[in-house]
Amino acid sequence: MADPAECTIKVMCRFRPLNSSEVTRGDKYIPKFQGEDTVVIGGKPYMFDRVFQSNTTQEQVYNACAQKIVKDVLEGYNGTIFAYGQTSSGKTHTMEGNLHDTDSMGIIPRIVQDIFNYIYSMDENLEFHIKVSYFEIYLDKIRDLLDVSKTNLSVHEDKNRVPYVKGCTERFVCSPEEVMDTIDEGKSNRHVAVTNMNEHSSRSHSIFLINVKQENTQTEQKLSGKLYLVDLAGSEKVSKTGAEGAVLDEAKNINKSLSSLGNVISALAEGTAYIPYRDSKMTRILQDSLGGNCRTTIVICCSPSSYNEAETKSTLMFGQRAKTIKNTVTVNIELTAEQWKQKYEREKEKNKTLRNTITWLENELNRWRNGESVPVEEQFDKEKANAEVLALDNIINEKSASTPNVPGVRLTDVEKDKCEAELTKLYKQLDDKDEEINQQSQLVEKLKQQMLDQEELLASSRRDHENLQAELNRLQTENEASKEEVKEVLQALEELAVNYDQKSQEVEDKTKEFESISEELSQKSSILSSLDSELQKLKEMSNHQKKRVTEMMSSLLKDLAEIGIAVGSNDIKQHEGGSGLIDEEFTVARLYISKLKSEVKTMVKRCKQLEGIQSESNKKMDENEKELAACQLRISQHEAKIKSLTEYLQNVEQKKRQLEENVDSLNEELVKLSAQEKVHAMEKENEIQTANEVKEAVEKQIHSHREAHQKQISSLRDELDNKEKLITELQDLNQKIMLEQERLKVEHEKLKSTDQEKSRKLHELTVMQDRREQARQDLKGLEETVAKELQTLHNLRKLFVQDLATRVKKSAEMDSDDTGGSAAQKQKISFLENNLEQLTKVHKQLVRDNADLRCELPKLEKRLRATAERVKALESALKEAKENAARDRKRYQQEVDRIKEAVRAKNMARRGHSAQIAKPIRPGQPPVASPTHPNINRSGGGGFYQNSQPVAIRGGGSKPDKN
């Protein structure tokens, strides 16, 4: 490492122009600039390394802020550039801008171009390895923007206690295009949102890390430098941004992390002993940039609006505090074996001179202690000793520069060979030890990581086990509760069985009463119906007689009227012998009237038939009218189609005729031209032929062409007519087929609907039949059980009565033997009779309760079945939970075994194989890279290298042309 040097953090201030919302609101432009390093806000001056006004271009900002850091990074220093400010102050515009516009691109794309430009112009003996990472801090969690599956990365420290993000994607690049593709990919995954102050507000802190390693192939000197390009999210006032929901949570985390950054800046500016780097992940990552080994530039972005004056002053105060911080920067260099040897020799010589000085001082001290006086010439001179040490350093440096491999003492060739062999042996041992140490340290890190992973797996498995145990306990408690419920249900069933017997007896009594009442009612109803029928017959007879009387009276009146008319017309005079004629006329009139009646009846029947036929014909007429309307609609459609087709054909015919005329005119012109060519040829050949003959020949040829063309046109027209006829026939056939298809569709829909209706009715009937069968079976079973119970009770009653009768007989016989009898036996008989009556009552009550219980039994059986199903479901859930727990335990054990096997295989592979070396890509031979595919680089030989491996870039040569 080179000697450390102190440098302060550079702070640049940039003011953006007023945006459209501020202009419409009428905000004032408050900053006043004094020179290039001072701005005045509210009468107070603020001084920085550089102040950029609102009209400053992106290129000017880059040249002042970031151009020098590129050279520092390539010389082995660490660098950081980050933008700080309130929301909508222009931080993302300053750091990124428009990534693919040469005028408006920001610091990050310009710095990428400059890094490669510097590399192309450097010494060709240098090889560079560049890798980039891109991640964001969102809700205080580190999220990889190049691999969105990595959402919560952790911050660790390396062997030099420098923080780094563990597990983030590192992509090796060898051209600016690949870097820009990586930035585009990461930017598409970054969190943004819309607020009242900014349409594209960054909701996270983004960090783009460029790691440059270089090696001199001649001197084997290695340098490394890191460049952090940070775009911080802006501090927000919720009252101004109008953040709600998730955006509000994001604003809280942003303000919290920026507050932690302000606390770190304040602690560094005040020089306190404790610096709170660990308060947030952002300050933890930027620990080396703030007060560490890094050249840092802060760009504070401010709003010029009077609306944001308080936030602008706070930002300027932050910049003034940050300007007082000092970083200690050193070159990150890895010494070669030769340099370590030279350093050892130098330190050895210094040690030798210091020992000589110590012996000199000890001798002088002893002389003083012995009482001798040391003259001035022999006393130790400190300045002279320092001068000797410096001279010795210069001599060693000159020797090392001139002859680095020649030691200070003259040695023979044999000794030289021995020394060189010993040195090579020692260096080899040292390299082996270093390699072994590296391997062991890597193994330790991997084992630690595996231990952490195993601990996480164990913790997760414990949590799963606890959850499963809790679930198991819950299921057991539910099982116990269900068992209690089953017991209660059984007790209720027993009670209901007793009640069922009682209710069944009551039902039997009621049914008997109902049957007796229904028999009486049926008898009464039969008597009533007979009386009604007799009354109806009487009414019919009276009506019939009335009708006959009225008909007779009407017929008589008609006959009398006809007779009166006949008598009045013929001047019939009564005489004694005319009674026979009158009777004959009456009979004739009656016959005539009966004929008229029959004819009227036939006419009425005929009228009714005609009316039925007329209604049917009306229906048919309506149907025909509907069909006619549909046909007319189809005809109108077809006529419109035919009209459009005829118009189209006419247009086609016109176009065809025009084309034929054009063809004729072109043929005529062609013939004329050919004739003219023939004339010219004949004139040239000096053939004797007049122009009239040529014209006649030409006219004949034209006439023949016309005739052939007209014949061809007529034949084509005939063919066209035939085609048109064929088209019309096909159209008619197609129309018929379509009509038939529509008719078939309608019939199919009707059949389908009827089929569905029938299937629905069939389903309903089957359901009803099933229900009836089920009810019949239930009723039958209930009747059988009730009959059995009643039979058993009846048998018990018979046995009891028989036993009682036998006892009574025995007592009677005893009474007959004992003529007097005793009062005690009479009392016993009365007691037994009372008991019999009570037993009969109890039996009846039991029968009623049994009937009630029989009624309640289906409900209780249903509840019991539901409870049993619930118990089975709980048992299956318990069994499934146990199986899942066993499966998870087995999977966990398999995962542990797999991790062990993978670690063992990696260790074996590491021991058995040597390290891979990537092929360097140099600017003299520009890398053939695909800018659209950043993960693949092509070597000159056609091989492919994934970006997970390092690719070297060698300095020297000209910059590749951008085509």
Side-chain angles (χ1 to χ4, degrees):
M1 294 289 256
D3 294 332
E6 282 191 349
C7 69
T8 58
I9 291 178
K10 289 186 177 181
V11 181
M12 311 287 182
C13 179
R14 185 180 190 185
F15 284 87
R16 63 166 174 80
L18 291 171
N19 57 33
S20 58
S21 61
E22 292 169 348
V23 171
T24 54
R25 196 166 49 227
D27 296 347
K28 292 182 180 180
Y29 190 88
I30 57 172
K32 296 178 181 178
F33 302 98
Q34 294 180 359
E36 291 186 350
D37 59 352
T38 307
V39 62
V40 179
I41 302 288
K44 182 180 178 181
Y46 297 91
M47 292 186 67
F48 302 101
D49 292 292
R50 182 72 183 272
V51 177
F52 300 107
Q53 299 185 21
S54 301
N55 57 359
T56 308
T57 62
Q58 295 278 69
E59 187 176 1
Q60 291 172 345
V61 173
Y62 171 74
N63 292 334
C65 296
Q67 196 170 27
K68 190 175 183 303
I69 289 185
V70 176
K71 190 175 179 182
D72 293 337
V73 170
L74 294 175
E75 288 177 355
Y77 292 99
N78 295 332
T80 301
I81 302 173
F82 68 85
Y84 177 89
Q86 74 170 121
T87 184
S88 76
S89 60
K91 299 180 296 302
T92 305
H93 177 72
T94 300
M95 294 302 296
E96 296 177 0
N98 190 345
L99 295 174
H100 303 287
D101 186 3
T102 54
D103 294 329
S104 61
M105 66 171 59
I107 289 173
I108 293 176
R110 291 178 189 273
I111 216 166
V112 168
Q113 296 285 347
D114 258 11
I115 285 172
F116 285 94
N117 291 339
Y118 270 104
I119 289 171
Y120 296 142
S121 64
M122 292 178 78
D123 187 7
E124 62 182 6
N125 294 322
L126 298 175
E127 280 188 356
F128 292 84
H129 297 274
I130 302 175
K131 59 183 178 181
V132 296
S133 301
Y134 201 7
F135 49 89
E136 69 174 357
I137 302 170
Y138 177 70
L139 299 178
D140 207 30
K141 291 182 181 179
I142 301 173
R143 180 172 172 270
D144 196 341
L145 293 177
L146 302 180
D147 186 359
V148 293
S149 61
K150 300 176 182 178
T151 55
N152 192 6
L153 302 175
S154 57
V155 183
H156 290 249
E157 288 184 350
D158 59 10
K159 59 184 178 180
N160 297 323
R161 301 191 65 79
V162 176
Y164 70 98
V165 179
K166 186 175 182 181
C168 72
T169 304
E170 292 183 334
R171 193 169 288 178
F172 284 90
V173 293
C174 61
S175 67
E177 289 79 12
E178 289 186 4
V179 182
M180 295 308 295
D181 290 341
T182 305
I183 293 171
D184 288 335
E185 181 185 348
K187 191 176 179 182
S188 64
N189 296 325
R190 192 179 175 190
H191 284 84
V192 293
V194 179
T195 65
N196 293 340
M197 296 184 70
N198 194 354
E199 292 182 358
H200 302 282
S201 177
S202 301
R203 312 311 297 165
S204 63
H205 311 297
S206 71
I207 299 173
F208 186 69
L209 172 60
I210 303 175
N211 196 333
V212 181
K213 290 185 179 180
Q214 59 174 297
E215 181 181 359
N216 194 323
T217 55
Q218 285 186 348
T219 62
E220 296 183 357
Q221 187 177 12
K222 296 179 181 179
L223 299 176
S224 63
K226 292 180 182 178
L227 179 58
Y228 289 91
L229 300 171
V230 186
D231 179 19
L232 298 177
S235 59
E236 296 184 9
K237 267 192 176 180
V238 179
S239 60
K240 291 184 178 181
T241 58
E244 294 178 352
V247 180
L248 180 59
D249 295 335
E250 293 167 354
K252 290 177 183 177
N253 280 280
I254 289 167
N255 291 337
K256 181 182 176 184
S257 60
L258 291 175
S259 176
S260 301
L261 177 63
N263 294 335
V264 169
I265 295 290
S266 298
L268 289 168
E270 294 169 2
T272 57
Y274 171 70
I275 311 297
Y277 288 117
R278 294 179 179 269
D279 285 358
S280 75
K281 291 188 177 180
M282 182 186 66
T283 54
R284 187 87 175 92
I285 294 169
L286 298 178
Q287 180 176 345
D288 217 26
S289 304
L290 302 171
N293 176 22
C294 191
R295 295 187 188 274
T296 304
T297 299
I298 300 176
V299 183
I300 57 171
C301 299
C302 303
S303 167
S305 170
S306 57
Y307 180 69
N308 299 319
E309 184 175 357
E311 290 85 352
T312 301
K313 287 181 178 179
S314 175
T315 304
L316 295 173
M317 290 297 294
F318 173 87
Q320 282 195 332
R321 286 196 302 273
K323 198 173 183 312
T324 61
I325 299 171
K326 291 184 178 181
N327 289 352
T328 304
V329 295
T330 55
V331 178
N332 302 314
I333 186 169
E334 295 181 17
L335 298 177
T336 62
E338 190 64 32
Q339 289 172 340
W340 280 113
K341 183 179 175 183
Q342 291 173 6
K343 191 171 183 180
Y344 171 73
E345 293 292 338
R346 188 162 55 248
E347 295 298 328
K348 188 177 178 182
E349 291 296 331
K350 282 184 181 180
N351 193 12
K352 188 176 179 181
T353 55
L354 289 173
R355 282 181 181 176
N356 292 332
T357 303
I358 289 167
T359 54
W360 189 315
L361 289 170
E362 284 177 351
N363 292 331
E364 185 179 346
L365 183 60
N366 290 328
R367 289 175 67 183
W368 281 108
R369 283 177 178 173
N370 292 330
E372 296 181 12
S373 61
V374 181
V376 178
E377 295 83 8
E378 296 179 4
Q379 289 180 6
F380 179 75
D381 190 357
K382 187 177 179 180
E383 293 179 358
K384 187 177 179 182
N386 290 334
E388 288 178 358
V389 171
L390 289 172
L392 185 61
D393 287 341
N394 292 330
I395 290 166
I396 290 169
N397 288 331
E398 288 173 2
K399 285 181 179 180
S400 65
S402 60
T403 56
N405 294 325
V406 179
V409 183
R410 291 283 183 177
L411 297 174
T412 61
D413 294 337
V414 178
E415 290 175 346
K416 281 183 182 180
D417 294 337
K418 285 182 179 179
C419 288
E420 287 177 0
E422 191 68 25
L423 281 171
T424 54
K425 186 177 180 182
L426 290 171
Y427 285 139
K428 189 176 180 182
Q429 290 178 0
L430 186 63
D431 293 338
D432 293 339
K433 293 295 181 184
D434 288 337
E435 187 175 355
E436 188 176 353
I437 288 167
N438 289 329
Q439 289 179 358
Q440 292 298 326
S441 62
Q442 290 175 3
L443 183 60
V444 167
E445 288 293 329
K446 288 182 179 177
L447 290 173
K448 284 181 181 177
Q449 183 62 33
Q450 289 174 10
M451 287 292 291
L452 292 173
D453 295 339
Q454 293 300 321
E455 287 176 358
E456 289 178 0
L457 284 170
L458 283 170
S460 62
S461 62
R462 284 198 192 98
R463 286 195 296 272
D464 294 339
H465 179 68
E466 290 173 357
N467 293 332
L468 290 171
Q469 193 66 34
E471 186 70 18
L472 185 62
N473 294 330
R474 186 178 64 79
L475 291 171
Q476 287 177 352
T477 54
E478 288 181 359
N479 194 9
E480 294 294 331
S482 62
K483 286 180 180 177
E484 293 294 330
E485 287 179 1
V486 169
K487 288 180 182 178
E488 293 175 359
V489 167
L490 291 173
Q491 291 175 0
L493 279 173
E494 292 174 358
E495 294 175 358
L496 287 170
V498 176
N499 293 327
Y500 177 72
D501 293 333
Q502 296 175 358
K503 297 293 181 183
S504 61
Q505 186 63 31
E506 290 180 0
V507 166
E508 286 179 357
D509 297 338
K510 294 292 183 183
T511 49
K512 287 177 181 178
E513 292 176 3
F514 177 73
E515 286 174 357
S516 61
I517 292 167
S518 60
E519 287 176 358
E520 291 177 1
L521 183 63
S522 61
Q523 291 175 2
K524 297 290 184 183
S525 60
S526 62
I527 293 167
L528 184 63
S529 61
S530 62
L531 292 172
D532 287 335
S533 60
E534 290 176 0
L535 181 63
Q536 192 70 25
K537 286 178 181 178
L538 292 172
K539 285 182 179 179
E540 287 177 357
M541 289 174 68
S542 64
N543 288 327
H544 183 65
Q545 288 175 359
K546 284 180 182 179
K547 283 181 181 178
R548 286 187 67 185
V549 169
T550 53
E551 286 177 357
M552 289 173 70
M553 290 295 292
S554 61
S555 62
L556 287 172
L557 288 172
K558 285 179 181 178
D559 294 340
L560 289 172
E562 289 175 359
I563 289 165
I565 291 166
V567 170
S569 60
N570 296 321
D571 295 325
I572 298 172
K573 295 181 179 179
Q574 288 183 344
H575 51 85
E576 293 176 358
S579 60
L581 294 172
I582 291 167
D583 292 332
E584 289 177 0
E585 287 178 358
F586 269 116
T587 56
V588 170
R590 284 192 183 113
L591 291 171
Y592 184 68
I593 288 165
S594 63
K595 285 181 181 180
L596 286 175
K597 285 180 181 178
S598 62
E599 287 180 359
V600 166
K601 287 180 181 178
T602 54
M603 288 295 291
V604 168
K605 288 181 182 178
R606 182 65 179 165
C607 283
K608 287 181 180 179
Q609 290 177 359
L610 290 173
E611 285 177 357
I613 293 166
Q614 187 178 5
S615 62
E616 290 177 359
S617 63
N618 287 330
K619 289 180 182 178
K620 289 181 180 179
M621 284 287 288
D622 293 334
E623 292 176 356
N624 291 327
E625 284 177 357
K626 289 179 182 178
E627 291 180 358
L628 183 62
C631 292
Q632 287 176 354
L633 181 62
R634 291 196 189 107
I635 289 165
S636 62
Q637 291 176 355
H638 292 314
E639 286 176 352
K641 287 182 181 177
I642 290 166
K643 190 175 181 182
S644 61
L645 289 170
T646 52
E647 289 176 356
Y648 177 71
L649 287 172
Q650 288 175 1
N651 293 329
V652 170
E653 188 69 26
Q654 289 177 1
K655 288 181 182 178
K656 182 180 174 185
R657 288 177 182 175
Q658 289 176 1
L659 290 171
E660 288 173 353
E661 291 174 357
N662 291 331
V663 169
D664 292 338
S665 62
L666 289 171
N667 285 328
E668 290 176 0
E669 289 178 0
L670 183 64
V671 172
K672 287 179 182 179
L673 289 171
S674 63
Q676 288 178 3
E677 287 178 358
K678 285 182 180 179
V679 168
H680 287 303
M682 289 169 67
E683 288 177 355
K684 287 180 181 178
E685 292 175 358
N686 296 322
E687 293 182 356
I688 302 169
Q689 192 172 3
T690 61
N692 291 326
E693 291 177 354
V694 173
K695 285 182 181 178
E696 288 176 359
V698 168
E699 286 176 356
K700 287 179 181 179
Q701 193 174 1
I702 289 168
H703 187 66
S704 62
H705 277 297
R706 280 182 182 172
E707 288 178 354
H709 191 61
Q710 286 176 357
K711 288 179 182 179
Q712 188 176 3
I713 288 168
S714 62
S715 64
L716 289 171
R717 283 177 179 169
D718 294 335
E719 288 180 2
L720 186 63
D721 293 335
N722 293 328
K723 296 289 183 185
E724 287 177 354
K725 290 178 181 178
L726 184 61
I727 287 166
T728 53
E729 290 175 359
L730 290 172
Q731 285 177 351
D732 295 336
L733 183 60
N734 189 17
Q735 193 67 29
K736 290 178 181 178
I737 290 167
M738 287 175 70
L739 292 171
E740 187 67 22
Q741 187 178 5
E742 288 178 358
R743 187 179 63 76
L744 290 172
K745 279 184 182 178
V746 172
E747 291 179 357
H748 177 68
E749 291 294 329
K750 288 180 180 178
L751 290 171
K752 195 174 180 181
S753 61
T754 53
D755 190 11
Q756 289 178 355
E757 186 68 23
K758 287 178 180 179
S759 63
R760 187 177 62 78
K761 289 181 179 178
L762 182 62
H763 181 68
E764 290 178 356
L765 290 170
T766 53
V767 171
M768 289 173 67
Q769 185 68 23
D770 293 338
R771 287 178 181 172
R772 286 176 183 174
E773 288 293 330
Q774 187 68 30
R776 194 179 292 112
Q777 290 177 1
D778 293 341
L779 187 60
K780 191 175 180 182
L782 186 61
E783 287 175 354
E784 288 177 355
T785 53
V786 170
K788 287 178 182 178
E789 293 292 330
L790 289 173
Q791 187 67 33
T792 53
L793 289 171
H794 187 64
N795 293 331
L796 288 171
R797 187 178 177 186
K798 279 183 179 180
L799 291 172
F800 180 74
V801 170
Q802 288 175 2
D803 189 14
L804 190 62
T806 54
R807 287 183 181 180
V808 169
K809 283 180 182 179
K810 285 179 181 179
S811 64
E813 287 175 358
M814 290 173 68
D815 288 338
S816 63
D817 293 336
D818 189 3
T819 56
S822 66
Q825 288 178 350
K826 290 180 180 179
Q827 289 178 358
K828 191 174 182 180
I829 289 166
S830 63
F831 175 71
L832 289 172
E833 287 176 353
N834 291 330
N835 285 338
L836 180 61
E837 289 177 0
Q838 289 178 0
L839 283 170
T840 52
K841 289 179 182 178
V842 169
H843 176 257
K844 289 179 180 179
Q845 186 65 30
L846 286 172
V847 169
R848 285 195 294 272
D849 292 341
N850 189 16
D852 294 336
L853 284 173
R854 296 293 180 189
C855 295
E856 295 291 331
L857 189 61
K859 296 180 182 178
L860 293 172
E861 287 178 351
K862 190 175 181 181
R863 284 185 63 187
L864 185 61
R865 282 197 297 271
T867 309
E869 289 175 359
R870 175 64 177 163
V871 170
K872 286 181 181 178
L874 291 171
E875 288 176 352
S876 62
L878 181 61
K879 186 178 179 182
E880 187 178 357
K882 288 181 179 178
E883 290 176 355
N884 289 332
R887 200 180 301 116
D888 291 339
R889 200 176 296 111
K890 187 177 179 182
R891 188 166 61 247
Y892 165 71
Q893 191 63 36
Q894 289 175 355
E895 187 70 17
V896 170
D897 295 339
R898 187 185 64 78
I899 290 168
K900 286 180 181 178
E901 288 293 330
V903 170
R904 194 178 298 114
K906 284 182 181 177
N907 291 334
M908 294 297 292
R910 193 185 298 112
R911 290 171 190 157
H913 298 85
S914 60
Q916 294 183 356
I917 301 170
K919 182 178 178 181
I921 300 173
R922 303 177 179 86
Q925 317 151 7
V928 184
S930 173
T932 60
H933 204 310
N935 292 333
I936 297 177
N937 296 323
R938 295 175 187 162
S939 64
F944 289 87
Y945 293 88
Q946 293 291 334
N947 275 357
S948 59
Q949 295 180 352
V951 178
I953 305 170
R954 176 170 277 190
S958 60
K959 181 180 176 182
D961 296 333
K962 295 180 181 178
N963 294 327

